[in-house]
PDB file of all heavy atoms in Angstrom:
ATOM      1  N   ALA B1491     -40.153  14.584 -18.925  1.00 93.00           N
ATOM      2  CA  ALA B1491     -39.964  13.935 -20.192  1.00 93.00           C
ATOM      3  C   ALA B1491     -38.594  13.442 -20.345  1.00 93.00           C
ATOM      4  O   ALA B1491     -37.653  13.895 -19.635  1.00 93.00           O
ATOM      5  CB  ALA B1491     -40.241  14.963 -21.301  1.00 93.00           C
ATOM      6  N   GLY B1492     -38.393  12.455 -21.290  1.00 93.00           N
ATOM      7  CA  GLY B1492     -37.090  11.933 -21.515  1.00 93.00           C
ATOM      8  C   GLY B1492     -37.001  10.507 -20.911  1.00 93.00           C
ATOM      9  O   GLY B1492     -37.874  10.094 -20.215  1.00 93.00           O
ATOM     10  N   GLU B1493     -35.881   9.841 -21.225  1.00 93.00           N
ATOM     11  CA  GLU B1493     -35.746   8.494 -20.641  1.00 93.00           C
ATOM     12  C   GLU B1493     -34.326   8.231 -20.198  1.00 93.00           C
ATOM     13  O   GLU B1493     -33.393   8.918 -20.534  1.00 93.00           O
ATOM     14  CB  GLU B1493     -36.140   7.438 -21.771  1.00 93.00           C
ATOM     15  CG  GLU B1493     -35.318   7.525 -22.968  1.00 93.00           C
ATOM     16  CD  GLU B1493     -35.641   6.367 -23.917  1.00 93.00           C
ATOM     17  OE1 GLU B1493     -36.317   5.440 -23.507  1.00 93.00           O
ATOM     18  OE2 GLU B1493     -35.280   6.480 -25.142  1.00 93.00           O
ATOM     19  N   ILE B1494     -34.253   7.317 -19.315  1.00 94.00           N
ATOM     20  CA  ILE B1494     -32.977   6.952 -18.688  1.00 94.00           C
ATOM     21  C   ILE B1494     -32.653   5.459 -19.186  1.00 94.00           C
ATOM     22  O   ILE B1494     -33.499   4.583 -19.003  1.00 94.00           O
ATOM     23  CB  ILE B1494     -33.013   6.977 -17.135  1.00 94.00           C
ATOM     24  CG1 ILE B1494     -33.317   8.453 -16.727  1.00 94.00           C
ATOM     25  CG2 ILE B1494     -31.662   6.541 -16.566  1.00 94.00           C
ATOM     26  CD1 ILE B1494     -33.538   8.569 -15.228  1.00 94.00           C
ATOM     27  N   ILE B1495     -31.463   5.252 -19.767  1.00 93.00           N
ATOM     28  CA  ILE B1495     -31.107   4.000 -20.155  1.00 93.00           C
ATOM     29  C   ILE B1495     -29.867   3.583 -19.417  1.00 93.00           C
ATOM     30  O   ILE B1495     -28.861   4.312 -19.336  1.00 93.00           O
ATOM     31  CB  ILE B1495     -30.785   4.021 -21.693  1.00 93.00           C
ATOM     32  CG1 ILE B1495     -32.072   4.317 -22.414  1.00 93.00           C
ATOM     33  CG2 ILE B1495     -30.173   2.678 -22.155  1.00 93.00           C
ATOM     34  CD1 ILE B1495     -31.960   4.926 -23.682  1.00 93.00           C
ATOM     35  N   ILE B1496     -29.948   2.426 -18.694  1.00 92.00           N
ATOM     36  CA  ILE B1496     -28.871   1.965 -17.922  1.00 92.00           C
ATOM     37  C   ILE B1496     -28.422   0.598 -18.425  1.00 92.00           C
ATOM     38  O   ILE B1496     -29.231  -0.312 -18.575  1.00 92.00           O
ATOM     39  CB  ILE B1496     -29.299   1.913 -16.414  1.00 92.00           C
ATOM     40  CG1 ILE B1496     -29.426   3.357 -15.923  1.00 92.00           C
ATOM     41  CG2 ILE B1496     -28.194   1.176 -15.630  1.00 92.00           C
ATOM     42  CD1 ILE B1496     -29.814   3.473 -14.517  1.00 92.00           C
ATOM     43  N   GLY B1497     -27.085   0.449 -18.817  1.00 88.00           N
ATOM     44  CA  GLY B1497     -26.578  -0.769 -19.338  1.00 88.00           C
ATOM     45  C   GLY B1497     -27.309  -1.150 -20.580  1.00 88.00           C
ATOM     46  O   GLY B1497     -27.502  -2.365 -20.791  1.00 88.00           O
ATOM     47  N   GLY B1498     -27.789  -0.222 -21.398  1.00 88.00           N
ATOM     48  CA  GLY B1498     -28.446  -0.471 -22.632  1.00 88.00           C
ATOM     49  C   GLY B1498     -29.971  -0.756 -22.523  1.00 88.00           C
ATOM     50  O   GLY B1498     -30.602  -0.835 -23.509  1.00 88.00           O
ATOM     51  N   LYS B1499     -30.417  -0.804 -21.264  1.00 90.00           N
ATOM     52  CA  LYS B1499     -31.868  -1.078 -21.132  1.00 90.00           C
ATOM     53  C   LYS B1499     -32.636   0.180 -20.540  1.00 90.00           C
ATOM     54  O   LYS B1499     -32.113   0.758 -19.564  1.00 90.00           O
ATOM     55  CB  LYS B1499     -32.096  -2.255 -20.182  1.00 90.00           C
ATOM     56  CG  LYS B1499     -31.954  -3.555 -20.826  1.00 90.00           C
ATOM     57  CD  LYS B1499     -32.211  -4.693 -19.816  1.00 90.00           C
ATOM     58  CE  LYS B1499     -31.026  -5.128 -19.261  1.00 90.00           C
ATOM     59  NZ  LYS B1499     -30.283  -5.779 -18.489  1.00 90.00           N
ATOM     60  N   PRO B1500     -33.711   0.608 -21.144  1.00 92.00           N
ATOM     61  CA  PRO B1500     -34.488   1.621 -20.608  1.00 92.00           C
ATOM     62  C   PRO B1500     -34.951   1.292 -19.185  1.00 92.00           C
ATOM     63  O   PRO B1500     -35.377   0.187 -18.887  1.00 92.00           O
ATOM     64  CB  PRO B1500     -35.724   1.735 -21.493  1.00 92.00           C
ATOM     65  CG  PRO B1500     -35.342   1.068 -22.758  1.00 92.00           C
ATOM     66  CD  PRO B1500     -34.352   0.059 -22.364  1.00 92.00           C
ATOM     67  N   THR B1501     -34.769   2.195 -18.244  1.00 92.00           N
ATOM     68  CA  THR B1501     -34.978   1.855 -16.849  1.00 92.00           C
ATOM     69  C   THR B1501     -35.801   2.997 -16.234  1.00 92.00           C
ATOM     70  O   THR B1501     -35.643   4.162 -16.460  1.00 92.00           O
ATOM     71  CB  THR B1501     -33.592   1.797 -16.054  1.00 92.00           C
ATOM     72  OG1 THR B1501     -32.754   0.922 -16.780  1.00 92.00           O
ATOM     73  CG2 THR B1501     -33.756   1.337 -14.660  1.00 92.00           C
ATOM     74  N   VAL B1502     -36.787   2.584 -15.379  1.00 92.00           N
ATOM     75  CA  VAL B1502     -37.579   3.557 -14.615  1.00 92.00           C
ATOM     76  C   VAL B1502     -37.006   3.687 -13.338  1.00 92.00           C
ATOM     77  O   VAL B1502     -36.903   2.684 -12.538  1.00 92.00           O
ATOM     78  CB  VAL B1502     -39.017   3.132 -14.640  1.00 92.00           C
ATOM     79  CG1 VAL B1502     -39.846   4.138 -13.818  1.00 92.00           C
ATOM     80  CG2 VAL B1502     -39.579   3.000 -16.053  1.00 92.00           C
TER      81      VAL B1502
END
Side-chain angles (χ1 to χ4, degrees):
Chain B
E1493 58 176 345
I1494 299 175
I1495 293 153
I1496 291 177
K1499 279 182 266 180
T1501 309
V1502 178

